[in-house]
Amino acid sequence: MKYLRSSLARVVLSFVVALGAALASTTYAVMQPAELVIQEVNGTASYSVGGTWQPLAKAMRLAQGAVIKTDADSTVDLLLPASATALRLTPSSTLRLDKLNKEAAGEMTISETSMTLLDGGIAGTQRKLASPSRFQINLPGGGVAHIVGTEYYVRADGAVSVVSGAVSLNYNLPGKGGSVKVTVSAGFSFDPATGKVVPTTPAYLQNIIAHINTTKHNAEVFKVSGGATLVVKPEEVVSPHSPP
């Protein structure tokens, strides 16, 4: 009987240790830093880490905290492998990388991305994120555009246009106008002057569609863990002379 109690105690102890290790690995799992890859620099652009500005070049990798700035008539194409997102920072724009995190969850990657568009505009193409991933673009006035899986163009003044999918937007109206929460669907734009969602005009689409089409092309192939290839197949190239 004494031997049986001793054996049982060892079994229970082993179980408790194993359970504790499992719970610890689950409880204390944390996001890991992700990176942003500079795919192409068209013209002149620079980046800053800690206040020192340096020339930006193709194939550079930047972490959270960096600020990217494009000169007039210049663009920068960006890739975020963790969320399979392609972005284009348009001319005379400034973007700050606030948070770039990722975590492996089986065959999926959970990502947490937050950036602030300080000036100018940014186009993007993004696949649907695995829950509970988050991707948001903050605006200088306190507004936030939540991106789920879509093709879009966001300006620092709060204007948001969507070509496919949808963008959820919280926007602080100027002065004491309060805030609005809207969903911008494909073919529509948010007008920050009125706080309303309106159909995207052909003239405005003409100005932004080349940037969006570039991000669609750049987002076609991403390398994911294990050496597999994730192919994001965009819809056909959108023309400003046809409905988005």
Side-chain angles (χ1 to χ4, degrees), residues 48 68 117 171:
S48 170
I68 305 170
L117 183 61
Y171 182 71

Side-chain angles (χ1 to χ4, degrees), residues 1-196:
M1 181 65 70
K2 182 178 180 181
Y3 174 77
L4 179 60
R5 286 199 300 268
S6 177
S7 298
L8 181 59
R10 286 196 297 270
V11 171
V12 172
L13 179 60
S14 298
F15 174 76
V16 170
V17 171
L19 179 61
L23 290 175
S25 63
T26 301
T27 304
Y28 297 105
V30 295
M31 288 276 189
Q32 301 297 318
E35 291 182 317
L36 178 146
V37 181
I38 306 302
Q39 185 182 31
E40 195 66 62
V41 177
N42 305 288
T44 305
S46 54
Y47 75 99
S48 170
V49 178
T52 302
W53 289 97
Q54 303 180 61
L56 191 68
K58 180 177 179 178
M60 280 185 172
R61 295 176 178 268
L62 300 179
Q64 66 183 34
V67 181
I68 305 170
K69 181 168 61 177
T70 56
D71 288 357
D73 301 321
S74 301
T75 61
V76 173
D77 293 324
L78 316 166
L79 294 178
L80 289 92
S83 59
T85 299
L87 300 171
R88 166 168 276 199
L89 196 59
T90 55
S92 302
S93 298
T94 305
L95 181 71
R96 186 180 68 221
L97 308 179
D98 299 323
K99 184 180 293 184
L100 299 176
N101 290 330
K102 64 179 180 179
E103 179 184 352
E107 296 182 354
M108 299 185 302
T109 298
I110 306 301
S111 60
E112 187 176 22
T113 305
S114 176
M115 52 187 64
T116 299
L117 183 61
L118 299 169
D119 198 13
I122 190 168
T125 293
Q126 180 181 297
R127 66 184 175 95
K128 187 174 182 179
L129 298 175
S131 180
S133 296
R134 292 190 304 167
F135 192 110
Q136 67 181 46
I137 299 175
N138 304 307
L139 304 174
V144 181
H146 297 275
I147 316 296
V148 178
T150 183
E151 295 159 354
Y152 58 90
Y153 185 77
V154 176
R155 290 197 328 226
D157 65 2
V160 176
S161 298
V162 178
V163 170
S164 71
V167 171
S168 174
L169 176 68
N170 296 330
Y171 182 71
N172 295 330
L173 297 170
K176 297 182 179 180
S179 62
V180 295
K181 183 176 182 179
V182 298
T183 297
V184 186
S185 301
F188 289 84
S189 296
F190 175 75
D191 182 353
T194 63
K196 302 292 184 181

